[in-house]
Structure formats: C-alpha cells, structure tokens
Amino acid sequence: MLILCASPIRGAYGDHGSLREEEVKAAFVFNFLKFVEWPEDRDGRSVVILCVQATSPLVDALVALDGKEIRGRPLRVEISGRPADLLQCHAVFLGSGVPTERIAAVLEGLRGQPVLTLGDAPGFCVQGGMIGLFKEGNKMRFNINLKEARAVRVKISSKLLQLARHVIE
C-alpha cells in the first residue's frame, strides 16, 4: 500500500509532509485511473475525462489534477451536474457531500455504460459504485466492486485489486 499512497501524492501535489484529506483522496483517484483500462471504443480517445460531482474542498483537489498524464494521455477534469453529460466520461467521482438519492440516480443512469464510478460515501460499492474510498483510523483505504466493473468491460488491474480492503466479485 505504501507505493500507492506515496507515489501519487508526490506526483500530483509535490512532496508535502502534511496533506489535507481531500488531497490524499484526489491522489488516490489519480492513481486509480492509471490502473484501469476501458473498452477500446472508449479507451481510444485522446484524453481521459474525469467528471466530478462533489463539494469543496474536494472539488478543488480533483480539479488540480487537470492536465496530468494518465498512461500518456492528458487528464481532463470536468465539474458536471447533468446526468446526460456523464456518459462522455471515462470516470465519475461522486463525493460524500452529494445526497444519497443523487448518487443512486447517477449510478442507475450509468448502469451498463463503460464508466468507472468512484466515490467516498459510506457503502458506495454496496450501492453499485466500482471503487469506494473510506478512512480507517488515519489511513485512506478503498473497496472495489469488481462485479460492476466487469459488467461494463472496465478492467481493474490485479495490482489494484490486491491493495483493496475488500473486493466484491
């Protein structure tokens, strides 16, 4: 877990000794995107699009990732409110500040689409999200819902699966 935690933080935010929780979450999201492959029809695009529905300061931390590279392609971070806009995204991050009903509606709207869904709301993976961040003590952890990812042909690296706290198959 040390490699996943240390590497993205330096790469995304410089080598700071004390990071805010939002910056750590954004660094995790950045790394998750490096360990995911989308179906060829979506993966062939020139940019990787991360759409965000969250509250500040998490939005600011995720927007700071805009322009970083994901496997040789620039990352474009978009703040998106309309469900129809989310269909163009490679990944959608739904923050814990988003109402539970809204998260459920977005996940339902993306069902069957090759869009990686990420979030930090409690029980995110149980609700149908693919990667759910959570805090355990003073450490950031994550669960993976591999069943949902496989259903839409989104491939999550075995390296990432090994680091997950729980994997739903």
Side-chain angles (χ1 to χ4, degrees):
M1 183 76 150
L2 183 60
I3 293 171
L4 183 65
C5 292
S7 173
I9 293 171
R10 269 187 254 128
Y13 291 99
D15 193 12
H16 297 289
S18 61
L19 292 173
R20 294 184 340 236
E21 183 176 321
E22 294 81 14
E23 293 170 328
V24 173
K25 287 180 181 180
F28 267 79
V29 168
F30 179 69
N31 257 332
F32 293 151
L33 297 176
K34 291 180 176 182
F35 288 91
V36 171
E37 292 179 29
W38 288 266
E40 205 170 296
D41 57 330
R42 186 164 300 256
D43 210 24
R45 296 183 187 171
S46 60
V47 298
V48 175
I49 303 170
L50 169 64
C51 294
V52 176
Q53 291 191 3
T55 55
S56 290
L58 184 53
V59 167
D60 300 332
L62 290 166
V63 168
L65 299 174
D66 193 72
K68 304 281 183 198
E69 283 203 5
I70 303 291
R71 293 188 323 269
R73 296 184 296 170
L75 175 63
R76 187 169 77 211
V77 180
E78 296 182 358
I79 310 304
S80 189
R82 296 182 344 185
D85 294 341
L86 302 178
L87 295 174
Q88 63 151 348
C89 308
H90 286 85
V92 172
F93 185 90
L94 300 165
S96 60
V98 175
T100 305
E101 306 79 35
R102 174 83 176 139
I103 291 173
V106 169
L107 291 174
E108 183 59 34
L110 293 174
R111 189 169 309 277
Q113 300 298 318
V115 177
L116 178 71
T117 53
L118 309 118
D120 63 348
F124 185 74
C125 287
V126 174
Q127 293 177 15
M130 295 177 199
I131 301 179
L133 281 165
F134 64 95
K135 202 168 178 187
E136 186 176 73
N138 63 351
K139 295 183 180 186
M140 195 62 61
R141 304 279 189 199
F142 61 95
N143 293 325
I144 296 177
N145 187 332
L146 191 57
K147 178 182 174 185
E148 292 291 334
R150 283 182 175 156
V152 295
R153 302 175 297 134
V154 170
K155 295 180 186 172
I156 298 175
S157 165
S158 61
K159 293 176 184 177
L160 195 56
L161 293 171
Q162 290 173 356
L163 296 174
R165 179 55 114 189
H166 298 287
V167 177
I168 300 170
E169 295 190 64

